[in-house]
Amino acid sequence: MSPYVLPLIAPFVLILSAGLSWWLSERHSRLVATIAEIAGVLALAVALASSVMLVFLGPGESALFGAAGIGLSTRLDAVSVTMLVLVAFVGWIVVRYSRIYLDGEPRQSTFNGWLTAALAAVLVLVQAGNLSQLAVSWIATSLCLHRLLLFYPGRIAAQRAARKKLFFTRIGAASLITAAVLLTLAFGTTDIAAINAAARNGDAPLLAVSATILVAIAALLKSAQFPT
C-alpha cells in the first residue's frame, strides 16, 4: 500500500469520533468530549507525520479507492500538507476550547459530533486527489458548518446567519460541481495531478478556462469575507 494514504487517517479518526459522539449522545457527554480531543490530537499527529513524509519522500499521491474516477485519493504536496497541519492544529484548539466552554451544556455531545465531522470534511477537502472527492467534501463541510451555526436554534442571529450562508453555499456548490464536470470533460479524468500536469503543458481547452472562473466563484462564496 502506498505511504501516501497516511493523511487519510486524520479525517478517519475524526469521523470515528463524530460517530461515537452521536451514538453515545448526552449520556456520556464528558467522555464524548474527551474522545473528541483525543481524535483532534491524533489528527494533528498524522498531519505532522505527513509533513515529515513529504520532506523525505517528496510530493505524491495515493491510488484511488473507488472506481470511474469517483472515490478517495490523497494528493500530498507543500500546499496540501500546510493546510493539513494548519486545519488539524486549529481544529484541536477549537475542540479543546469547546470541551471547556460547553462543559455541562445541553447537547454538548451533538456539538462535538458536528464539530469533528466538520474538521474531518475539511481535512478530506484539502488533501483531495480527485475532483469528485473535492466536490463531495466541499458540500459536506458546508452541511456540517450549517448544523454548527444552528446549535442554538432559538437564536435569531444564528437563524439569519444560517439562512444567508445556506443561500451562498448552494450557489458556490453548484459552481464547483459544474466546474468539476467541465474539467472532467476537458481533460478526460478526475485526477487533479493529471489535470495540473496537462494545464502546465499548455493543454487548456475552452471548457477548462470556463471551469477556472467557476472555481474562483465557488471560492469567493465560500469565504467568510464575502462580499468584501
Side-chain angles (χ1 to χ4, degrees), residues 159-206:
Q159 295 174 7
R160 187 182 302 116
R163 284 196 299 269
K164 290 179 180 178
K165 178 188 172 297
L166 187 60
F167 174 75
F168 289 111
T169 292
R170 286 175 174 173
I171 300 175
S175 298
L176 185 65
I177 292 172
T178 305
V181 171
L182 292 178
L183 288 171
T184 302
L185 293 174
F187 294 100
T189 180
T190 64
D191 186 77
I192 294 175
I195 292 172
N196 285 342
R200 290 193 188 97
N201 291 332
D203 183 15
L206 182 59

Side-chain angles (χ1 to χ4, degrees), residues 13 35 38 46 57 90 100 118 123 136 140 144 161 163 171 183 211 228:
V13 296
I35 292 173
I38 292 173
V46 171
L57 299 183
V90 174
I100 298 169
L123 289 175
V136 171
C144 293
R163 284 196 299 269
I171 300 175
L183 288 171
T228 57

